[in-house]
Amino acid sequence: MLGEVRRIFEALWTGYGPQGWWPAEHPWEMMVGAVLTQGTAWRNAVRCLENLSAGRLLDHPAQLLDVSVHCLEEMLKPGGFWRVKARRLRALSRFIVDRWEGDLDRMFAVPTALLRRKLLSVDGIGPETADCILLYAARRPVAVADAYTRRILQRCGVTGELGYEATRRLLEAAFPGEVEKLQELHALMVRVGKECCRKRRPRCGACLLESLCEAAAGTGPSPGGVRGPRRNCLRGG
DNA sequence: GGCCAGGTCAAAG
DNA sequence: CTTTGACATGGC
């Protein structure tokens, strides 16, 4: 199974190359973006980031606590969920200001497992957002097991229906300690997911998902692959 | 118009 | 423990 995951990564890497994630100037901007993109198209999250940046509210966590909630909400409107996201961003700012005096370097000095637990205790930081922060802002070897990734692994027949944590452990076992690869993996999975592995039945007759399934199966040039009857995205349920 | 977006949380069943 | 609804705007 680990080999299948690695083959999928190699196929994606070969096909698409580096994605340059996460697009942010600094760790705090990355963290804010991670909250803003929840359930929202990235392009709309970017509008919010631009509003914040233009208002000089994106340089330091404490800045978000210095403006009125109303003002903050106005800037977040283009991204949707603006009421909850204003609350969540302030919760995250307050968390960093209260516990680490607003100093991200201090926060990132905390060991990975402990920091993950602390992040999850913040309102609005769930597993995926926490892992994105750990992977891209703190540069820890943590995997992001988002919905796209789980669907792709499932539809390529690599796994059955796996929950978030089980998928995360699988990915981390496939690339232990490899921060760069885990970063690219998540970015590439999102890219492919958007193209041909959507929620509703993917129309992937000619799409890349098919070759990913083959890559996972080890068909084609690479030797030693796992063979035999399998479900792929075209035949699978 | 319908569906989806780089999710999370609280309330039910 | 799993399922469901709320949160809201913008693009295709």
Side-chain angles (χ1 to χ4, degrees), chain A residues 108-127:
Chain A
F108 291 145
V110 174
T112 303
L114 179 58
L115 180 53
R116 186 170 198 271
R117 261 179 276 130
K118 289 183 182 300
L119 285 170
L120 288 174
S121 75
V122 179
D123 174 46
I125 308 290

Side-chain angles (χ1 to χ4, degrees), chain A residues 22-101:
Chain A
W22 189 289
E25 296 291 323
H26 52 272
W28 175 236
E29 181 183 332
M30 183 273 145
M31 295 173 70
V32 173
V35 170
L36 291 179
T37 197
Q38 290 172 353
T40 299
W42 175 249
R43 99 185 67 221
N44 290 331
V46 166
R47 297 180 167 167
C48 303
L49 286 169
E50 286 168 353
N51 288 342
L52 294 173
S53 182
R56 308 299 325 168
L57 297 178
L58 206 46
D59 307 310
H60 184 92
Q63 290 173 325
L64 291 183
L65 300 174
D66 290 335
V67 286
S68 70
V69 174
H70 175 75
C71 180
L72 183 54
E73 286 177 344
E74 286 300 315
M75 297 189 194
L76 301 187
K77 281 188 176 174
F81 302 158
W82 41 273
R83 246 183 296 239
V84 278
K85 283 176 181 173
R87 182 163 44 75
R88 289 175 182 179
L89 284 183
R90 289 179 73 103
L92 183 57
S93 290
R94 168 123 9 247
F95 170 73
I96 294 166
V97 167
D98 288 352
R99 294 196 64 111
W100 291 287
E101 298 164 1

Side-chain angles (χ1 to χ4, degrees), chain A residues 151-152 154-157 193-205 207 209 213 231-237:
Chain A
R151 279 205 298 269
I152 290 168
Q154 191 181 344
R155 288 181 187 172
C156 288
K194 281 198 242 198
E195 286 184 12
C196 58
C197 203
R198 307 205 149 211
K199 274 188 194 168
R200 284 169 61 78
R201 193 90 199 107
R203 216 178 139 268
C204 56
C207 84
L209 194 54
C213 294
R231 285 179 6 192
N232 67 19
C233 55
L234 302 176
R235 292 183 288 144

